[in-house]
Amino acid sequence: MAMRDKIEHAIQNQPCTVKDLKSKFGGDRGSDRKVMEAVDQLVHEAVICQRQGVFFTVRSGRADKALLCKVVKLGKNFAFVMLEDGTSDIFIPGRFTRGAMPGDMVLVEKFEHPRVEGSDEGEILAILEEKNDLVGTARRIEGRLKFVPDDCPAISMQLMRDCEGGAKDGDKVAVEILQRGNRQEDHRVGVAMRFGSSDEAKRCAKALLYAQDIRSRFPDKVREEAKKLENAEVSEKDTEGRMDLRALPIFTIDSAETKDIDDAISLTKTPEGGFELGVHIADVSNYVKPGSELDNEAFNRATSVYYADQVVPMLPKQLSNGICSLNEGVLRLAFSCLMHLDKDGNLIDYRFVKSIIRSRVKGVYSEINALLAGSADDELKGKYHEVLSQLPAMKELYGHRARLRKERGCMDIESGEVKLILDEDGHCIDVKKRTSGESEAMIEEFMLLANQCAAHFARVKQIPFVYRVHEEPNAEKLERLHTLLQACGINDHFAKDVPTPKELSAILEGVRGGPYEQIINTGMLRCMSKAVYEEKPKGHYGLVLKDYAHFTSPIRRYPDLAIHRIMTAQLKGMDKDTMVLRYSDFAEKASKQSSEREIIAMQIERKAEDCYKAEYARRHLGECYEGRISGVTQRGLFIELENGVEGFVPASSLTPSGTMLTEGIRLSDPVSGKNWSLGDTMMITIVRADVNLGKIDFEVAPASTK
């Protein structure tokens, strides 16, 4: 059979890439050339056509049905792919996955008749781009060292003997797929990076970062630029054209361990009883110039990543902890928002200025809280003597702002954040609920006000910008919230289809201090849309604000740096048309990149925290604790302990007769009549903790029959 006929026949049976065709019919330079000549001839004669590098027979019409997708989830016998635009996902049965891995770009054809009516099912026609870098665990299975990927712990791949990289059973590793087979289990991999034991949370956290290509070490060119700013100081020349605010008693308030200080405050009372509030932000844009290596790297990272006691910064320490950090007693360049508020805390006007400041003291939240409460000793008062007089006015202003916030219906949802306590070796030895005092809330409110002013500034000036957008919840999420509220006996009859923040806030207030408080808080958080960055102002649903942006953290967030750059151009007199030409595309790209990287950073932080919690739980196997039912599924119960650690109780450990899910919040045993409901307390025993997966298993403690 001629090469032309062989290729046509092959493509009739299955769409093929050039790689597929060369693998079937090539093998050497001469054969590969014949393959390409035959393909060119078939295309010229309109026998076959090409889409995304995949060849189809024209008569089949399959090319028009092929969809560009990304593999987002892989199971033992299935995969899910997401359309390129992220609008919907498609289920792929195992025999149709073609060995595709998470992160692969693929062409997919949907089935006309899926097995489940109304669902989207299909097959992978071809793999267009391979993601061959994976992170997982080395496991000895049937005498051979194999690789189990984090993205699909149900499968294992063979580690090639000469490519094990010193890995041992149980090590966390990164691998590269060296040979691909038709099934995932047929792939052959080699170790590219060994992190250490998967029983250590700090090793698992490093692997999580690696999997998302987040590196602590900056590229050489970035480090070279940063090196030039090492031990840099603000000169008198740097102050030219800036408002001199060195006489103001400006100071910072952060946690004791904070080194990247990007915001400071000042406050004075006016003769009329009003307030002059200054929020002074590190002028990072003065040092990070467009097109520089520093800027390119900051854009790529888009955010600092925080987990446990570690941070992977957006900017090198020469900037983040050095010249850009508003350290005590040194001159610093700032971007100040100067606000005038009346005696009731209402914003009257504001202005943005480039300034020069000197922070009087590095304030610490716990110390400021003691001063506000009147419990500070003389030594502490002495430390803050230059700014002490501002605190009563700050407390007064915060009281007004908190009242206004409540009046507009802003929701006060408890985040449930925890603090991980680590020993000197970086192992988690304790977990505590994170609490915040008056100073934390005060600083949050003042920063929020400055952020609001920045967004209003841009909207009124009609300049390109990066807004922080939070849209109202969608119908599907509201329905889940409705089910939860009804099951908890809470009336949720709202005036309109979409409740106002004020209505939701009233529900939160009604359950405060009760058994359903944390459950409703969590349910409310899950019902909210994800806040994102966009170049168009759409308001912020949760904060009940027409104008909102992120202005106050340019050291650790790229959107803040981006709008500093845009606002600087406007303040220097750039006309609107020029700004639109110069910054519209920049604002759009910065918004998209920042939203995407923020999600990745949050996922890493959450998964790393789960690993550390599991590490803590391993130290307490066999111990009994009281917990509260925080989730109900057909498979069992989620139990949250008082310190925020959550584990799972399988249904089989509750009763030997089996259980059934009823009403969405309750598991019932039809034989004994026992039931377990959201919000109930129960005694549990910690029986298993998998640090690698960040999962904790509980069992009902002996003699616990509730």
Side-chain angles (χ1 to χ4, degrees), residues 669-683:
D669 177 9
V671 176
S672 67
K674 294 179 182 177
N675 62 76
W676 299 264
S677 301
L678 275 176
D680 287 351
T681 58
M682 61 188 298
M683 296 299 295

Side-chain angles (χ1 to χ4, degrees), residues 653-660 662 666-677 680 700 703-706:
S653 79
L654 295 168
T655 171
S657 66
T659 57
M660 58 183 292
T662 61
R666 187 173 294 108
L667 272 177
S668 299
D669 177 9
V671 176
S672 67
K674 294 179 182 177
N675 62 76
W676 299 264
S677 301
D680 287 351
V700 180
S704 178
T705 58
K706 186 170 183 177

